[in-house]
């Protein structure tokens, strides 16, 4: 959730990136449009830059305020995810641990649990 000020700021930065990529006439544009490996396929680098724009803006703009919510109290929006709520919260906690104390074991545990969760999710969807 974000207010109008945040989204207008986000849109300004994202439109700038989009316009550079669409012009495709600079080295930066070529890098933004280059494909990177992702989940066994490919996606343009610009997708990942824009995906992280919200976090970037919060890091550089101290006027933007953040309010934290208890993830255990938030609805997931889809009944399938409700079965995995605890595991999703554990994954969130592992990311926070890694960001505050970048030990490799946090990243390893996150990846291991994430893979297991995705495998279980695929089975759940296949059964339904």
């Amino acid at each position: 959730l974000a207010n109008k000020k945040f989204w207008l700021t986000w849109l300004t930065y994202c439109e700038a990136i989009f316009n550079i990529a669409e012009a495709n006439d600079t080295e930066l544009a070529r890098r933004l449009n280059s494909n990177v490996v992702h989940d066994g396929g490919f996606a343009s680098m610009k997708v990942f830059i824009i995906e992280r724009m919200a976090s970037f803006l919060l890091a550089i703009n101290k006027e933007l305020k953040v309010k934290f919510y208890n993830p255990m109290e938030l609805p997931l929006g889809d009944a399938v995810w409700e079965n995995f709520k605890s595991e999703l919260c554990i994954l969130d906690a592992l990311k926070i641990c890694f960001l505050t104390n970048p030990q490799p074991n946090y990243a390893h545990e996150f990846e291991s649990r994430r893979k297991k969760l995705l495998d279980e999710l695929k089975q759940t969807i296949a059964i339904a």
Side-chain angles (χ1 to χ4, degrees):
L1 299 174
N3 62 22
K4 183 177 180 178
K5 179 181 178 181
F6 174 86
W7 288 118
L8 290 174
T9 304
W10 177 88
L11 184 61
T12 300
Y13 279 83
C14 290
E15 280 188 330
I17 291 169
F18 179 80
N19 290 334
I20 291 167
E22 286 298 300
N24 204 25
D25 59 358
T26 64
E27 179 60 24
L28 176 57
R30 284 185 279 287
R31 288 183 180 201
L32 288 169
N33 290 316
S34 66
N35 284 330
V36 294
V37 177
H38 178 67
D39 273 347
F42 295 93
S44 295
M45 177 58 77
K46 65 185 166 210
V47 172
F48 300 102
I49 302 295
I50 290 174
E51 181 180 89
R52 289 162 177 80
M53 187 56 64
S55 297
F56 171 73
L57 291 175
L58 292 171
I60 66 164
N61 189 336
K62 300 307 176 194
E63 291 179 17
L64 297 172
K65 303 293 181 208
V66 176
K67 182 175 180 180
F68 294 95
Y69 291 91
N70 179 349
M72 295 296 285
E73 295 175 3
L74 294 174
L76 294 174
D78 189 328
V80 173
W81 288 106
E82 285 296 330
N83 296 329
F84 302 102
K85 191 170 192 171
S86 294
E87 191 62 28
L88 290 168
C89 288
I90 291 169
L91 289 172
D92 192 45
L94 285 166
K95 286 194 295 186
I96 292 167
C97 288
F98 183 77
L99 290 171
T100 57
N101 185 9
Q103 299 297 317
N105 55 326
Y106 292 135
H108 174 73
E109 185 66 20
F110 174 86
E111 288 299 327
S112 174
R113 286 176 174 266
R114 178 180 176 268
K115 182 185 180 320
K116 182 180 176 195
L117 175 66
L118 290 173
D119 289 344
E120 289 177 21
L121 181 61
K122 286 176 188 174
Q123 288 178 355
T124 300
I125 292 170
I127 292 170

